[in-house]
Amino acid sequence: MNTKKILVTLIAFMFVLTGCSFNKNKDAIVEVNDKVITKAEFEKSFNNEINNPVFKQLGLSVKNKNSFLSLLIKGRVINNLIVESLVNQEIEKRNIKVSEKDVNAAIKNKIEQVGSKAKFNEILKQNGITPAQYKKELTRELELEKLVGMIKTIKITEDDARRYYKANESSFKYPEKVRASHILIAADEYQIRENLKAKHKDMSETELDKLVAEEMQEKLKDAEKVLAQVKKDPTSFKKIAREVSDDKESAKQGGDLGFFASQEMVEPFSKTAFNQKPNTISDIVKTQYGYHIIMVTDRKAAGKDSFDSVKQEIMMKLEQDKKVEIFENFIEEAKKNAKIEYLDDSYNPEKLTKLLQEQATSNPTANEEVNGANHSATPAPEDTRTHE
């Protein structure tokens, strides 16, 4: 289980609430109790959705407002905006406020969790979030925390955690792992060939093969020079990794990749690392990424996390799960009791559902495309490796 996630908000599936209009407007498309959602608000949220790069990667077009995918997104956006309005109304009704002091204290806590402000800012940067954006999202998270706390008090006990641990023991088992550092001299044969093709458009395949082989040989010579350096003085490994490794992320840590299981790395790399003894340096290992020099620094036998070592993490998870459940129940009840009027019938979920059914019938591949988009949009595990 991973305790280093700092960007997970109160409700994992929750969008960032931005606030709906509180005055009647000729641009209004939906009225939720006495508050309206405007077409401009819908268009802003809809455009944010359709600009998802996943759609471009899959070659899916959402330009046609009547396409299956567009209608599906439209329905989701409308639902989100209605939920947003209901949440805002409840926050206003309960007079929930989050002070600057609250936000700064929460940010300080997040920084302590990851170790330093520099690392915190680096995580934000990697996720494409500015400090101002994160502060805004965190403010909303704290508002939601207060709202859930007012709806129902949550108390998770050690016995709750122990029951969860016993019911999910297999998830706390881990395979044998090694900790290793590496220096990479990048040499991707495919990329080298493509670069040469772009430079020499009329060159024959035979000539290209020769040039690729020559460039790969040069890269190998570079790797051999680096290997000679680190073999001569193993204590210089970290320094040399920072200076010359083409894996820039691990280079910042002196080449350190942390602990990993065998299946987390490509086979030649993994096979070498798991056959090495700690504090030894490998010969050159070739993978599709290039030439690696590996130093194994530690080993960890297969085993299972003890209850005490994961107790706090389990309790945090159970508390978070309970908050999600409370929030979902609140939204369900709020929707039942709300007066929701669709001022523009084209945004009515019933009409959208009917159109989607018609589209699915006339275009059987529509569902497959959407399922592909949904699958590709699923975030990768946080702990993915550079050379997996």
Side-chain angles (χ1 to χ4, degrees):
M1 296 175 75
N2 196 326
T3 59
K4 297 182 179 178
K5 293 182 182 177
I6 70 160
L7 301 175
V8 176
T9 56
L10 169 63
I11 310 302
F13 60 86
M14 189 66 177
F15 43 83
V16 180
L17 302 176
T18 54
C20 293
S21 300
F22 282 80
N23 296 309
K24 299 238 177 183
N25 188 307
K26 65 178 183 179
D27 196 31
I29 55 174
V30 184
E31 186 170 287
V32 183
N33 296 322
D34 60 340
K35 314 301 181 186
V36 299
I37 297 169
T38 67
K39 188 174 182 179
E41 287 165 342
F42 168 81
E43 292 292 343
K44 182 179 178 181
S45 294
F46 184 83
N47 288 333
N48 285 339
E49 288 274 349
I50 66 173
N51 286 329
N52 188 327
V54 169
F55 296 141
K56 290 182 180 178
Q57 291 169 13
L58 293 173
L60 299 176
S61 174
V62 285
K63 290 180 180 178
N64 181 356
K65 293 292 179 75
N66 292 316
S67 71
F68 188 90
L69 189 55
S70 292
L71 291 171
L72 193 70
I73 294 171
K74 184 177 182 178
R76 185 166 66 191
V77 169
I78 284 294
N79 180 68
N80 286 353
L81 289 171
I82 289 170
V83 171
E84 177 182 331
S85 181
L86 291 169
V87 171
N88 284 339
Q89 289 173 44
E90 192 68 19
I91 285 173
E92 183 185 40
K93 176 184 170 184
R94 292 176 183 265
N95 196 31
I96 294 172
K97 305 288 183 186
V98 172
S99 68
E100 187 79 8
K101 185 179 178 181
D102 293 333
V103 178
N104 290 337
I107 290 174
K108 184 181 178 183
N109 184 50
K110 302 290 185 184
I111 290 171
E112 288 173 356
Q113 285 178 30
V114 299
S116 69
K117 189 172 182 179
K119 193 169 182 181
F120 174 81
N121 288 333
E122 181 63 26
I123 293 171
L124 292 184
K125 186 178 178 182
Q126 288 172 4
N127 284 273
I129 300 173
T130 66
Q133 286 172 328
Y134 183 69
K135 193 171 184 179
K136 184 178 179 182
E137 291 185 21
L138 187 57
T139 300
R140 178 54 73 170
E141 179 184 342
L142 294 175
E143 288 178 340
L144 293 174
E145 288 273 4
K146 288 189 176 186
L147 173 59
V148 169
M150 287 182 176
I151 294 170
K152 189 173 182 179
T153 302
I154 299 171
K155 184 171 178 59
I156 304 297
T157 67
E158 185 172 315
D159 285 342
D160 294 328
R162 196 176 293 278
R163 279 192 292 273
Y164 180 88
Y165 179 80
K166 287 182 178 178
N168 297 276
E169 281 192 75
S170 61
S171 66
F172 297 101
K173 292 179 180 178
Y174 51 82
E176 180 188 8
K177 293 183 178 184
V178 300
R179 183 172 188 173
S181 299
H182 81 141
I183 298 169
L184 170 67
I185 303 302
D188 181 333
E189 289 186 61
Y190 174 80
Q191 194 57 56
I192 289 172
R193 178 177 289 276
E194 290 302 302
N195 291 341
L196 288 169
K197 276 184 180 179
K199 284 182 184 177
H200 310 286
K201 298 187 189 307
D202 299 324
M203 187 173 284
S204 69
E205 288 299 316
T206 303
E207 289 173 311
L208 274 173
D209 288 342
K210 183 182 177 183
L211 287 180
V212 169
E214 287 175 358
E215 191 160 337
M216 289 295 292
Q217 188 61 33
E218 287 301 313
K219 293 287 186 179
L220 178 58
K221 286 180 181 177
D222 291 340
E224 288 170 342
K225 287 177 185 176
V226 175
L227 178 62
Q229 284 181 277
V230 295
K231 288 271 192 181
K232 184 178 180 181
D233 180 12
T235 62
S236 68
F237 193 98
K238 287 184 179 181
K239 180 176 179 292
I240 293 171
R242 289 191 186 99
E243 291 172 354
V244 307
S245 180
D246 289 320
D247 179 359
K248 299 305 178 186
E249 283 305 309
S250 70
K252 294 174 186 176
Q253 282 75 48
D256 185 28
L257 295 165
F259 279 99
F260 54 87
S262 62
Q263 67 270 21
E264 292 182 80
M265 299 292 180
V266 291
E267 188 178 347
F269 189 102
S270 182
K271 187 176 180 180
T272 301
F274 275 80
N275 284 327
Q276 272 184 249
K277 293 180 180 179
N279 302 313
T280 60
I281 296 172
S282 73
D283 289 327
I284 292 167
V285 178
K286 185 177 183 298
T287 73
Q288 63 260 48
Y289 302 100
Y291 300 105
H292 307 259
I293 300 163
I294 305 169
M295 174 184 270
V296 171
T297 55
D298 203 354
R299 298 185 79 94
K300 188 187 289 185
K304 184 175 73 172
D305 293 317
S306 68
F307 172 71
D308 287 338
S309 70
V310 294
K311 179 177 70 175
Q312 290 303 318
E313 190 174 343
I314 292 172
M315 292 179 77
M316 287 170 62
K317 175 193 166 24
L318 294 177
E319 182 180 358
Q320 196 74 5
D321 289 348
K322 193 65 181 174
K323 287 175 180 177
V324 171
E325 181 186 338
I326 292 168
F327 186 81
E328 287 178 333
N329 290 339
F330 158 71
I331 291 300
E332 189 177 339
E333 284 300 310
K335 279 184 174 180
K336 282 181 186 176
N337 298 322
K339 182 186 175 184
I340 302 173
E341 185 180 355
Y342 297 95
L343 306 176
D344 184 333
D345 197 48
S346 68
Y347 296 91
N348 190 320
E350 290 182 6
K351 183 170 183 179
L352 289 171
T353 299
K354 186 178 178 182
L355 289 171
L356 282 168
Q357 289 171 343
E358 291 172 358
Q359 286 273 3
T361 302
S362 62
N363 182 12
T365 63
N367 273 315
E368 292 176 16
E369 291 179 348
V370 173
N371 287 336
N374 287 337
H375 178 72
S376 299
T378 303
E382 187 178 282
D383 200 30
T384 51
R385 302 288 178 177
T386 307
H387 303 289
E388 191 166 351

